[in-house]
Amino acid sequence: MVTWVEVIVALFLAYYWTGFDMVHFHTQLEPMDQPGYVSGSTWEMFVSGASWPIVSYANREFAWFSICFLSAAIVLGAAYVGLNHLLGSTFYAVLILGSLRIAPVISTVLSFPLAMVSSLLWLFIAKPLGCKDPTGIERLKR
């Protein structure tokens, strides 16, 4: 049985993960596509990542990062709950997921399901609602 604490921790992880992905995505874009906070200090990038709903709305990417958040909530939530029940420790479950996030080869273990779930959510929820890909991604496709 999933507890409220597990749901809250999973949503926090998904929120953090989405903010981190937003900052990482924007730093990889061409300079003309990068938002202003990317060229700011590390603190400014941290604050922008922590307030990703506001920043993504200002960048006209709110739908994109909302879908990424839902995907992260589903995949990370399942991974966290499974690890928490297996290990019996919130600390170790979060530590393992955080390590998977930054480990170069192992990060694919979570990146692949995240990409698959977010793609399905984008196709079946966002596209029918008329949402468009962010301009940075449109330019990457060309």
Side-chain angles (χ1 to χ4, degrees):
M1 180 85 179
V2 178
T3 66
W4 282 106
V5 172
E6 289 174 329
V7 170
I8 291 168
V9 170
L11 289 174
F12 173 77
L13 284 171
Y15 187 87
Y16 166 76
W17 202 294
T18 304
F20 182 86
D21 282 344
M22 181 191 75
V23 172
H24 184 264
F25 170 72
H26 285 146
T27 58
Q28 303 301 313
L29 294 176
E30 294 293 325
M32 65 185 228
D33 291 327
Q34 290 180 350
Y37 77 87
V38 173
S39 59
S41 67
T42 303
W43 176 249
E44 189 176 357
M45 290 187 346
F46 175 80
V47 169
S48 296
S51 58
W52 69 261
I54 297 165
V55 174
S56 65
Y57 181 78
N59 291 335
R60 296 186 193 112
E61 300 170 338
F62 184 71
W64 180 267
F65 287 105
S66 294
I67 291 294
C68 291
F69 171 74
L70 285 174
S71 171
I74 293 167
V75 174
L76 291 176
Y80 166 73
V81 168
L83 281 172
N84 193 31
H85 285 264
L86 181 69
L87 301 173
S89 169
T90 297
F91 175 77
Y92 288 124
V94 170
L95 184 67
I96 289 172
L97 287 174
S99 299
L100 285 175
R101 175 72 178 114
I102 59 173
V105 175
I106 301 172
S107 66
T108 307
V109 171
L110 285 176
S111 296
F112 181 74
L114 281 167
M116 296 307 298
V117 171
S118 59
S119 295
L120 290 172
L121 291 173
W122 186 258
L123 287 173
F124 293 114
I125 295 174
K127 283 288 188 183
L129 292 174
C131 298
K132 298 186 188 315
D133 295 340
T135 54
I137 290 179
E138 284 296 323
R139 288 198 178 117
L140 287 174
K141 289 180 184 178
R142 294 179 197 163

